[in-house]
Amino acid sequence: MRYAGLSTMGRIATILAAWFSPPYKGRRYLAKFNKNGYISPSASVYCDNLKLGNNIFIGDRVIIYKNKSGGGVTIGKNVSIYNDSIIEVGGGGSFIIGDNTHIQPHCQFSAYKGTIEIGCNVQIAPKCAFYPYNHGVTPGELIMKQPIETKGGIVIADNVWLGFGVIVLDGVRIGNGAVIGAGAVVNHDIPDNAIAVGVPARIIKMRDGIDMNIQLLKLPIFNKREIS
């Protein structure tokens, strides 16, 4: 692993190291032996503006892809991205992920137009999806021919936990320490330390003991009838 990296020789060295290691998460320890970390030989990296932190782990069949006019991809140190996840940037969008964050298998990050920014120590369960853009919906024109637009991207702050299958939509900020329940669709901001569930996601509890109804009154999506 001391020769590991994205070069041809680095890929060969990684194949040899992985040959004697267990599959899947069993190979995470290999990332500790070299500051270049472990990038699976089956991972596909096509991005000319890629910044990788030390000791990262990129699992089998992960795809990092930069489309035309896409921005950069920045991955912090000690990040783990597990099998079959896809990071795609295009149309001026970019992707940033902070230190010590874990992304479980089959997640989708489509950073078109807007930026996807994920903080440090974030836990993302399998099959989560992030879309910081929308198609135009003007009548009389095919959807596929309409321009995509953004409200400003997606921000996931530090120490957030997203459950299985969460979908985060354009223009959303999820605050520090927030928890989003499995299967939720987040289409509005979630404050710090909130626990939110459902479609669309609604706050059901605050982790720090602050009264839930007081917090909900600060969110314009809710009205008195909905929180009574």
Side-chain angles (χ1 to χ4, degrees), residues 8 16 31 38 46 86 90 145 161 169-170 183 199 201 211:
T8 301
L16 293 175
Y38 174 90
Y46 184 81
I86 298 174
K145 291 185 177 182
W161 176 22
L169 301 179
D170 182 29
V199 181
D211 184 81

Coordinates of all heavy atoms in Angstrom, one line a residue, residues 8 16 31 38 46 86 90 145 161 169-170 183 199 201 211:
T8 N -0.8 4.3 -12.7 CA -0.9 2.9 -13.2 C -0.2 2.0 -12.2 O -0.8 1.0 -11.8 CB -0.2 2.7 -14.6 OG1 -0.9 3.6 -15.5 CG2 -0.3 1.3 -15.0
L16 N -2.7 -5.7 -5.7 CA -1.9 -6.8 -4.9 C -2.2 -6.7 -3.4 O -2.3 -7.8 -2.8 CB -0.4 -6.5 -5.2 CG 0.1 -6.8 -6.6 CD1 1.6 -6.4 -6.7 CD2 -0.1 -8.2 -7.0
A31 N -6.5 1.8 4.0 CA -6.3 3.3 3.8 C -5.4 3.9 4.8 O -4.9 5.0 4.6 CB -7.7 4.0 3.9
Y38 N -6.8 4.3 0.1 CA -7.2 3.1 -0.7 C -8.3 3.5 -1.7 O -9.3 4.0 -1.3 CB -7.7 2.0 0.2 CG -8.2 0.8 -0.6 CD1 -7.4 -0.2 -0.9 CD2 -9.6 0.7 -1.0 CE1 -7.8 -1.3 -1.6 CE2 -10.0 -0.4 -1.7 CZ -9.1 -1.4 -2.1 OH -9.6 -2.5 -2.8
Y46 N -12.9 10.0 -13.3 CA -12.8 10.8 -14.5 C -13.1 12.3 -14.1 O -14.2 12.8 -14.2 CB -13.8 10.3 -15.6 CG -13.6 11.0 -16.9 CD1 -12.6 10.6 -17.8 CD2 -14.5 12.1 -17.2 CE1 -12.5 11.3 -19.0 CE2 -14.4 12.7 -18.4 CZ -13.4 12.3 -19.3 OH -13.2 13.0 -20.5
I86 N -22.1 7.2 -6.6 CA -21.8 8.0 -7.7 C -21.7 9.5 -7.3 O -22.6 10.0 -6.7 CB -22.8 7.8 -8.9 CG1 -22.8 6.4 -9.3 CG2 -22.5 8.8 -10.0 CD1 -23.9 6.1 -10.4
G90 N -21.4 18.9 -12.9 CA -21.5 19.4 -14.3 C -22.2 20.7 -14.2 O -22.8 21.1 -13.2
K145 N -35.8 19.2 -22.8 CA -35.2 20.3 -23.5 C -35.2 21.6 -22.7 O -34.6 22.6 -23.1 CB -35.9 20.6 -24.8 CG -35.8 19.4 -25.8 CD -36.4 19.8 -27.1 CE -36.2 18.7 -28.2 NZ -36.8 19.0 -29.5
W161 N -26.7 13.0 10.6 CA -26.9 11.6 10.3 C -28.2 11.6 9.4 O -29.2 12.0 9.7 CB -27.2 10.8 11.6 CG -27.5 9.4 11.3 CD1 -27.3 8.6 10.2 CD2 -28.2 8.5 12.3 NE1 -27.8 7.3 10.4 CE2 -28.4 7.3 11.6 CE3 -28.7 8.7 13.5 CZ2 -29.0 6.2 12.3 CZ3 -29.4 7.6 14.2 CH2 -29.5 6.4 13.5
L169 N -33.2 17.8 -1.6 CA -33.5 18.6 -2.8 C -32.8 20.0 -2.8 O -32.2 20.4 -1.8 CB -35.0 18.7 -3.0 CG -35.8 17.4 -3.1 CD1 -37.3 17.7 -3.3 CD2 -35.2 16.5 -4.3
D170 N -32.9 20.6 -3.9 CA -32.2 21.9 -4.1 C -32.6 23.0 -3.1 O -33.7 23.1 -2.7 CB -32.6 22.4 -5.5 CG -31.9 23.7 -5.9 OD1 -30.8 23.9 -5.4 OD2 -32.5 24.4 -6.7
G183 N -36.0 7.4 4.5 CA -37.0 7.6 3.5 C -37.5 9.0 3.4 O -38.4 9.3 2.6
V199 N -42.4 12.6 4.4 CA -42.4 13.2 3.0 C -43.5 14.2 2.9 O -44.7 13.8 2.9 CB -42.6 12.0 2.0 CG1 -42.6 12.6 0.6 CG2 -41.6 10.9 2.2
A201 N -40.2 16.1 4.7 CA -39.6 16.0 6.1 C -40.2 17.0 7.0 O -40.3 18.2 6.7 CB -38.1 16.1 6.0
D211 N -38.0 23.4 22.8 CA -39.4 23.1 22.5 C -39.6 23.0 21.0 O -39.3 24.0 20.3 CB -40.3 24.1 23.1 CG -41.8 23.8 22.9 OD1 -42.3 22.9 23.7 OD2 -42.3 24.3 22.0

